[in-house]
Every structure is written in C-alpha cells, then in structure tokens.
Amino acid sequence: MNKIILTGDRPTGRLHLGHYVGSLKRRVELQNSGEFDKIYIMIADAQALTDNADNPEKVRQNIIEVALDYMACGIDPGRSTIFIQSQIAELCELTFYYLNLVTVSRLQRNPTVKNEIQMRNFEASIPVGFFTYPISQASDITAFKATVVPVGEDQKPMLEQTNEIVRKFNSIYGQTLIEPQILLPDNQACLRLPGTDGKAKMSKSLGNCIYLSDSADQVRKKVMGMYTDPGHIKVSDPGKIEGNTVFTYLDAFCKPEDFRKYLPEYANLDELKAHYQRGGLGDVKVKRFLESILQEELEPIRMRRKELEQDIEGIYRILEQGCEVARKAAAQTLGEVRAAMKINYFSDRELIAEQARRYRTDK
Ligand code: TRP
C-alpha cells in the first residue's frame, strides 16, 4: 500500500509557533525523510468559510499567507502538493454521500465541534455547514487515500469520525476507502503550545501568538512579556515550573546544544529548572535564553519568507498546479466511490442489459 500524507490548515491568519511545533515542523521532516509516496498539504479555505461565511475577504487574503508560511518552513512544492480545498469540487460530492453515513447525534458528540460551538457562541444558530465540517474533513482525507495525517491534538476527534465513516462506507459498499492514522507530536509540550499569556492555546483572537513571520523585534517583545510564575517576584524567590509558559516553550524548543551556545553555566534544562525552583534565577535571564533559541529557529524562516514574498505570482502558479494534481487524485477516488455505490449507471452494462431483458416484450 502506498504511504500517503494529507494534512492542512484553515487560512484564517498567518501561522504561528503553535502550528509550527504542533504539526508544520513534523511535516517538513516527513517530507524530507523521503518515506512517503505522496504528500498533500491543503489550504482549507472551504472549511474556514464554515464559520466565516460573513467574512470571505479574511479567508481570501490569508490563502497566500499560509502558502508563504508553508514554503518558508520548508514545504517544497517539488516534493509536496500544496493545494486549495475549494478548487477541488470532487470533495463536495464525496461529502454529499458521506452525509448519509453519519447521524446528527454523532456530530453533536464530536468534542472539537462542541468546543468550537461554545467558543464561537453559536449555540442555537449553528450553521449547518459548520456542524457538518467533520464529514467534509473525512472527504479531504479519504479523497487522497491518506494513510497518515499529521495534525495537532485538537484534530483527534476528526480522525476518529473519519475512520467511522470509512468503516461504514466499506461495510455497506465494499472495501473502497482507506482508514488513516493520526500522527501527533511526540513531545508533550508540543502537543498544545500555550499562548504567550499562559492561556491554554495560541489563538489569534486572544492576541497571544508568536507568528512565524514576526520580526526579530516583535519576537523579543513577545518573549519578554510572557507569562511566568506570578508568585516569583524577587530573583531570590523560589519559582514554579508548572504552568510557567517560558519553561513550557523551553520544553518544546530547547535542544541540548543550546546550553553550550547560549547558557554555558547550565548543563541542561533540568539544571536550569532546578535553579529556578530553588530561587536565585531571574525571569529575564530565562526569557533571554528562550529568545535566543526562538530567534535561531525563526530567522531562516523569516528570511526565506521575505524572498518568497517577492514572487507572489509564482506562488499562485504553484498553488494552481497543485490544485490540478490534487483534482486528478480526488477524481480517481470519486470514480471508485461511485462504482462502489453503483451510481455509475452509464458504464454499468450489467444494469442496463438486465433491465432491458426484463422489459423487452418480444422475448
Ligand atoms: N481542521 C483543520 C484545522 O482546523 C484543517 C483541515 C481541514 C484538515 N481538512 C483537513 C487537517 C484534513 C487535516 C486533514 O486546522
């Protein structure tokens, strides 16, 4: 069986460090591993519209931002197909058939949907398209016969729902679709990177993000303003590590060699943490260390992005070519789905011949 990756993001803003450690960095590593037969990276504009129907301009403007962030991080259009969801009409048709395989109560139990309904204050006025987006996401994944879906932890319920749809489809219509596997970050801190304010998640609406395209100056200011331990007032006070955002980020980003480079008086992160907990280590010193690490990671991304920004027309051409490749793959699967469902009437010789025989009067 081919090893195929499909993953994507909603284009509602630039990508941030949460996206980066949660999935983006891993995708680039998987791409460069050469282990996969196909890699599809989808800009999920149609899904973004399910809760932004009144703000299509936001989605439209952010497609290029996400594409620039992808390529700046090392997604290589020569090795991965980057495409835009709405341009693949086949995905809508698949969704239309999958809608019949899922119950309303099953969707209501999807934890991600439940959570998002609350966050968006939809309550009684939930758009139907939004409510059913997990089904559309199952189409995204299955259309490309994805075997591996590298995403953040919040997408787990979407993968479970996809696998239920696959099993149901295959049990009714025969083995056609492939059950994908989720690939989560293996580092606990990367699973859900908190915002700079210590809130559970980086989110644009909370204004607690460090963007991949932030300038060095913006990164410095954001790191210096990060939430730490509010009880750690004087340098000599003992400090807490748990819930201390700066240490969570260090857990996510710090490599052993960073100590030699930026903080040689400590051997490793455990020593730094122990000193902080004992007292006598100031927040500013830890923040400067984190800043050095982040700047080193972000600088090449920032530089590549600046270059890519000089050829926006070229990026759109890459996206257009990606859409063509993606459309072919999705059309192939849709053909198989139609055949399995036996709604391929005009190429179904048996059906036509049998009915003709049954009705012909001059037998
Ligand atoms: N739901 C994903 C997000 O919010 C985006 C997405 C849409 C996606 N379709 C997908 C991710 C298919 C993985 C696979 O970021």
Side-chain angles (χ1 to χ4, degrees):
M1 192 167 73
N2 280 340
K3 290 174 81 178
I4 299 175
I5 288 180
L6 178 119
T7 182
D9 300 276
R10 296 180 191 181
T12 52
R14 295 176 171 213
L15 301 182
H16 52 60
L17 285 184
H19 296 113
Y20 184 68
V21 294
S23 162
L24 198 44
K25 198 175 172 177
R26 185 70 165 279
R27 294 179 202 169
V28 176
E29 288 164 7
L30 293 170
Q31 169 194 274
N32 296 343
S33 77
E35 272 181 40
F36 289 86
D37 298 289
K38 277 301 295 176
I39 300 176
Y40 297 96
I41 315 272
M42 183 182 76
I43 302 178
D45 64 333
Q47 188 177 108
L49 286 170
T50 65
D51 63 337
N52 285 286
D54 53 353
N55 201 356
E57 191 55 22
K58 173 167 98 181
V59 175
R60 179 167 172 262
Q61 292 298 336
N62 277 304
I63 289 171
I64 192 74
E65 302 300 337
V66 171
L68 286 165
D69 285 331
Y70 281 165
M71 288 170 62
C73 286
I75 299 288
D76 169 4
R79 288 191 270 184
S80 301
T81 300
I82 310 173
F83 71 98
I84 306 174
Q85 184 185 27
S86 64
Q87 305 307 296
I88 318 300
E90 284 77 1
L91 298 176
C92 302
E93 192 175 329
L94 276 181
T95 303
F96 196 64
Y97 303 136
Y98 294 172
L99 282 167
N100 304 325
L101 306 177
V102 182
T103 64
V104 170
S105 64
R106 175 63 184 88
L107 281 172
Q108 280 167 332
R109 273 186 280 114
N110 183 310
T112 306
V113 174
K114 251 173 137 167
N115 186 16
E116 286 176 322
I117 286 171
Q118 244 181 8
M119 273 179 4
R120 288 165 180 68
N121 294 320
F122 277 154
E123 272 128 34
S125 54
I126 307 163
V128 175
F130 176 81
F131 184 59
T132 55
Y133 91 74
I135 303 175
S136 136
Q137 189 155 337
S139 304
D140 304 336
I141 295 168
T142 54
F144 298 95
K145 302 193 167 83
T147 52
V148 176
V149 183
V151 278
E153 193 191 23
D154 60 326
Q155 296 299 303
K156 218 169 161 179
M158 300 300 153
L159 269 287
E160 283 162 9
Q161 185 121 47
T162 299
N163 284 330
E164 284 174 33
I165 291 172
V166 170
R167 287 194 287 269
K168 183 114 194 212
F169 187 99
N170 288 345
S171 78
I172 300 173
Y173 302 112
Q175 186 62 38
T176 314
L177 304 172
I178 289 168
E179 275 189 62
Q181 268 185 336
I182 190 168
L183 190 63
L184 295 170
D186 33 30
N187 176 336
Q188 195 58 35
C190 295
L191 220 48
R192 184 161 297 180
L193 196 74
T196 52
D197 57 357
K199 296 238 169 71
K201 217 179 146 177
M202 270 201 183
S203 121
K204 198 175 54 175
S205 50
L206 295 173
N208 61 3
C209 304
I210 296 178
Y211 292 97
L212 296 172
S213 50
D214 276 347
S215 68
D217 208 42
Q218 284 170 311
V219 172
R220 181 176 318 114
K221 287 200 183 109
K222 287 179 182 180
V223 171
M224 290 305 157
M226 267 171 83
Y227 178 85
T228 58
D229 167 12
H232 187 241
I233 297 164
K234 284 187 282 166
V235 171
S236 55
D237 291 340
K240 277 207 202 75
I241 302 294
E242 302 75 38
N244 185 324
T245 323
V246 178
F247 281 98
T248 310
Y249 279 38
L250 284 175
D251 280 329
F253 287 97
C254 179
K255 303 176 291 308
E257 64 266 29
D258 290 327
F259 282 94
R260 219 180 337 100
K261 264 192 273 185
Y262 302 116
L263 210 57
E265 56 275 40
Y266 299 88
N268 53 43
L269 193 51
D270 287 338
E271 271 189 19
L272 189 74
K273 285 180 178 174
H275 192 186
Y276 192 82
Q277 285 169 314
R278 259 195 329 270
L281 174 58
D283 281 349
V284 173
K285 187 161 178 173
V286 188
K287 285 179 172 174
R288 289 226 172 95
F289 178 49
L290 174 64
E291 195 219 328
S292 306
I293 295 171
L294 290 182
Q295 299 287 16
E296 183 183 318
E297 185 105 20
L298 292 176
E299 179 63 10
I301 297 176
R302 202 181 285 138
M303 301 290 284
R304 264 197 303 271
R305 199 183 204 275
K306 282 255 153 18
E307 258 171 61
L308 292 160
E309 285 167 358
Q310 300 315 302
D311 185 18
I312 296 297
E313 296 92 338
I315 309 269
Y316 272 103
R317 278 195 297 275
I318 287 170
L319 292 175
E320 193 175 1
Q321 285 160 4
C323 288
E324 263 165 50
V325 172
R327 201 174 297 123
K328 281 201 189 101
Q332 164 77 29
T333 304
L334 183 60
E336 292 162 15
V337 162
R338 284 163 156 259
M341 294 174 74
K342 295 192 183 292
I343 53 175
N344 55 338
Y345 310 112
F346 306 124
S347 49
D348 191 345
R349 297 258 168 86
E350 236 173 88
L351 171 80
I352 299 169
E354 191 272 323
Q355 290 181 343
R357 224 178 297 121
R358 183 144 45 88
Y359 278 103
R360 193 133 34 214
T361 46
D362 56 325
K363 285 178 202 159

